[in-house]
């Protein structure tokens, strides 16, 4: 269960308070261990990367009550984590895609 004060902190947008909490630090370690410190997204593609981030499958801000639920947590490498959070790059994305598109099209 997520402590009430942390749910409230997340709801008002203070996610830092959550990430600094002891319960999260413990949970994070537990999940990394469960996933053998491997990025689960790379693993599903047959690659190996060291996991650096424990990601909330259902976003923390939208589902604060799932913040510490094992099934909602997944170890990821930094690259994959950026890919599962495209909203972080919204501003830059259109430019980046335009520049990269021709390369993808010419590949056979
Ligand atoms: Zn990865
Ligand atoms: Zn995430």
């Amino acid at each position: 269960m997520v402590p009430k004060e942390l749910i409230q902190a997340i709801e008002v947008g203070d996610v830092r308070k959550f990430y600094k909490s002891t319960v999260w630090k413990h949970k994070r370690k537990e999940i990394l261990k469960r996933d053998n410190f491997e990025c689960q997204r790379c693993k599903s593609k047959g690659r190996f990367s060291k996991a650096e981030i424990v990601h909330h499958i259902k976003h923390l801000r939208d589902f604060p009550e799932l913040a510490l639920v094992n099934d909602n947590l997944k170890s990821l490498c930094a690259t994959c984590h950026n890919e599962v959070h495209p909203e972080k790059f919204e501003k830059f994305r259109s430019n980046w895609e335009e520049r990269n598109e021709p390369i993808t099209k010419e590949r056979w």
Side-chain angles (χ1 to χ4, degrees):
M1 284 302 287
V2 187
K4 243 202 171 111
E5 51 174 288
L6 290 181
I7 297 220
Q8 277 164 0
I10 296 163
E11 277 171 355
V12 299
D14 186 8
V15 289
R16 280 178 59 203
K17 185 176 173 155
F18 170 76
Y19 285 118
K20 282 196 295 190
S21 68
T22 319
V23 273
W24 170 247
K25 284 177 185 168
H26 284 168
K27 178 56 77 179
R28 187 179 171 276
K29 267 190 199 155
E30 183 191 326
I31 299 300
L32 285 170
K33 243 191 202 167
R34 180 197 71 186
D35 294 341
N36 293 317
F37 297 88
E38 259 184 83
C39 171
Q40 298 302 295
R41 196 161 174 266
C42 286
K43 194 182 174 184
S44 70
K45 293 177 182 175
R47 292 187 309 223
F48 175 81
S49 296
K50 195 172 181 296
E52 294 164 77
I53 289 149
V54 173
H55 165 65
H56 290 90
I57 298 167
K58 287 191 172 150
H59 289 186
L60 182 62
R61 282 170 203 262
D62 301 335
F63 297 90
E65 68 278 8
L66 299 179
L68 299 169
V69 174
N70 288 11
D71 287 347
N72 191 42
L73 296 166
K74 211 176 176 181
S75 306
L76 294 179
C77 68
T79 309
C80 286
H81 193 238
N82 286 337
E83 282 171 18
V84 297
H85 282 285
E87 73 274 12
K88 282 186 184 171
F89 293 98
E90 211 86 301
K91 292 194 274 195
F92 310 106
R93 204 165 51 167
S94 54
N95 261 338
W96 188 84
E97 274 177 356
E98 276 165 28
R99 257 188 278 137
N100 281 282
E101 215 176 335
I103 300 167
T104 330
K105 272 185 185 160
E106 275 164 24
R107 203 166 48 183
W108 35 288

